[in-house]
Amino acid sequence: MIRVMGITHDHQVKTDIALEDIHNSHHFLWSWVDFSEPTEEEAKLLDSFFQFHPLAIEDCMLHVMQRPKIDFYEDNDFLILHALDPDTLELIEVNLFIGENYLVSFHYRELQEIDIAWESIQKRALNRKMWERGPFTAAYLVIDNLVDQYFPCVYAVEDELDELEKLGSRESIEQLMNQVFDLRSRLLKLRRTIIPMRDLMYHILNSKHIQSQKEAGAYFSDIYDHLLKLSEMVESNREMTADLRDSYLSLNSNRMNGIMKTLTVITSVFMPLTLIAGIYGMNFANMPELHWRYGYFGVLSLMGILSIWMIFSFMRRGWFK
């Protein structure tokens, strides 16, 4: 689907216009064309109608997820951005072409973030100060909405982490470890999204292309601050999961040591008893003790005394602490 928005010179929003009319500078101050889930024929318009750089078009057409970046061409700036699926945390690529009097967005999945930016422009089109840099400000809204959607994903992981700390003593180590590793896997996905976007904003802020535009720098600096906060939250949560993992491993190791100590005590107590029972279980005819009247009770008493002596000996050595 292709939708077209045009902003007139008196800051009115027109959406019922043909794609061919957006280049008419007498009618429109600037325009936004959104390619949402485009077909092959629609995607070819990037070349046949807009005549974008072949390398930029190739980046758009490739379905392999690419790292966020910005390329400065002669008549436009090309950005590759990442959106997040809130359910699976999978990456969704978003491409932006920012020209002097147009913005073109290109994405193979419908995105709520793009819709929010689209509606925001329609509501605030009369704000002349805000739209002095029309296409750029619209692009800022898109990027800002993409980054804002990262926050609920990070907050959801934080809430689960807090809940995990509260329920830690009431669940088995195996369940806790599975939850910890699941959280670490999700944090890794978030990190793979947030860190490249943060690096992209840093690159934009330090590029000569943006440094010459103070207003543009202020917009990107705001997004960069959000990404810094997000990256710090992700790293902090990863450290917490690492601490929880180490704690659970130590706790599990201590429990295993306690079990092994108990089994060792039981084995140590029964080893001499088994030896005595083994000796008197042999079927030799010439065993004097077998003919004693009280031999059976004597051996049982010996085994009992030996067991009690060993248990007290282990207690004195602190084996039961």
Side-chain angles (χ1 to χ4, degrees), residues 217-239:
Y219 280 113
F220 279 110
S221 179
D222 178 66
I223 298 175
Y224 180 68
D225 290 341
H226 290 173
L227 289 166
L228 272 180
K229 180 180 178 180
L230 285 165
S231 60
E232 290 172 358
M233 291 170 64
V234 169
E235 294 302 328
S236 175
N237 289 332
R238 279 174 56 83
E239 291 179 5

Side-chain angles (χ1 to χ4, degrees), residues 183-233:
L183 287 175
R184 286 184 64 82
S185 175
R186 291 164 61 184
L187 285 169
L188 181 60
K189 289 182 179 179
L190 289 169
R191 190 176 186 276
R192 287 174 177 171
T193 303
I194 294 170
I195 300 301
M197 287 287 286
R198 184 197 66 185
D199 294 343
L200 171 62
M201 291 301 111
Y202 181 81
H203 172 65
I204 292 174
L205 284 172
N206 288 275
S207 67
K208 295 181 180 179
H209 189 85
I210 296 297
Q211 286 179 347
S212 61
Q213 306 175 36
K214 293 184 179 180
E215 185 180 358
Y219 280 113
F220 279 110
S221 179
D222 178 66
I223 298 175
Y224 180 68
D225 290 341
H226 290 173
L227 289 166
L228 272 180
K229 180 180 178 180
L230 285 165
S231 60
E232 290 172 358
M233 291 170 64

Side-chain angles (χ1 to χ4, degrees), residues 129-130 132-133 136-137 213-220:
K129 185 177 180 180
M130 183 173 184
E132 285 178 357
R133 295 183 49 79
F136 171 81
T137 308
Q213 306 175 36
K214 293 184 179 180
E215 185 180 358
Y219 280 113
F220 279 110

Side-chain angles (χ1 to χ4, degrees), residues 281-314:
M282 293 187 291
N283 295 321
F284 290 109
N286 225 356
M287 292 184 71
E289 295 86 354
L290 295 178
H291 304 289
W292 291 353
R293 182 175 181 181
Y294 300 104
Y296 172 71
F297 300 104
V299 171
L300 287 181
S301 299
L302 175 63
M303 294 170 73
I305 293 170
L306 186 58
S307 299
I308 294 171
W309 175 79
M310 293 184 69
I311 290 172
F312 274 106
S313 177
F314 293 150

Side-chain angles (χ1 to χ4, degrees), residues 87-89 156-157 160-161 164 174-190 241:
D87 298 323
T88 63
L89 299 184
V157 173
E160 289 189 34
L161 190 55
L164 184 61
E174 184 178 356
Q175 290 177 320
L176 292 172
M177 290 297 289
N178 288 336
Q179 291 177 328
V180 166
F181 282 113
D182 177 64
L183 287 175
R184 286 184 64 82
S185 175
R186 291 164 61 184
L187 285 169
L188 181 60
K189 289 182 179 179
L190 289 169
T241 56

Side-chain angles (χ1 to χ4, degrees), residues 36-234:
S36 179
E37 301 179 283
T39 63
E40 289 187 13
E41 291 299 322
E42 291 172 338
K44 290 178 180 179
L45 292 174
L46 296 176
D47 180 29
S48 60
F49 182 80
F50 291 100
Q51 298 180 351
F52 291 138
H53 196 281
L55 291 178
I57 296 174
E58 182 181 352
D59 287 338
C60 288
M61 302 295 286
L62 287 175
H63 292 278
V64 179
M65 191 61 60
Q66 301 181 72
R67 189 177 180 86
K69 68 172 184 176
I70 182 170
D71 291 327
F72 300 107
Y73 294 107
E74 185 176 351
D75 53 352
N76 63 70
D77 301 334
F78 173 67
L79 285 88
I80 295 179
L81 308 167
H82 286 167
L84 265 180
D85 187 322
D87 298 323
T88 63
L89 299 184
E90 296 298 328
L91 299 179
I92 305 169
E93 187 173 307
V94 179
N95 308 115
L96 295 182
F97 296 88
I98 308 173
E100 183 178 355
N101 60 352
Y102 65 84
L103 170 67
V104 176
S105 54
F106 187 93
H107 46 100
Y108 279 104
R109 286 180 58 177
E110 185 177 357
L111 292 172
Q112 180 185 6
E113 297 90 329
I114 303 292
D115 295 336
I116 293 173
W118 188 274
E119 294 171 3
S120 179
I121 292 176
Q122 292 179 321
K123 293 177 181 178
R124 293 186 283 179
L126 294 177
N127 188 337
R128 292 178 179 270
K129 185 177 180 180
M130 183 173 184
W131 300 116
E132 285 178 357
R133 295 183 49 79
F136 171 81
T137 308
Y140 158 76
L141 280 177
V142 172
I143 302 172
D144 188 51
N145 282 313
L146 291 177
V147 173
D148 285 346
Q149 290 301 315
Y150 298 167
F151 280 98
C153 300
V154 177
Y155 288 147
V157 173
E158 276 196 336
D159 292 341
E160 289 189 34
L161 190 55
D162 292 338
E163 191 68 22
L164 184 61
E165 288 184 295
K166 295 176 183 177
L167 299 176
S169 59
R170 286 178 277 174
E171 295 187 21
S172 68
I173 294 295
E174 184 178 356
Q175 290 177 320
L176 292 172
M177 290 297 289
N178 288 336
Q179 291 177 328
V180 166
F181 282 113
D182 177 64
L183 287 175
R184 286 184 64 82
S185 175
R186 291 164 61 184
L187 285 169
L188 181 60
K189 289 182 179 179
L190 289 169
R191 190 176 186 276
R192 287 174 177 171
T193 303
I194 294 170
I195 300 301
M197 287 287 286
R198 184 197 66 185
D199 294 343
L200 171 62
M201 291 301 111
Y202 181 81
H203 172 65
I204 292 174
L205 284 172
N206 288 275
S207 67
K208 295 181 180 179
H209 189 85
I210 296 297
Q211 286 179 347
S212 61
Q213 306 175 36
K214 293 184 179 180
E215 185 180 358
Y219 280 113
F220 279 110
S221 179
D222 178 66
I223 298 175
Y224 180 68
D225 290 341
H226 290 173
L227 289 166
L228 272 180
K229 180 180 178 180
L230 285 165
S231 60
E232 290 172 358
M233 291 170 64
V234 169

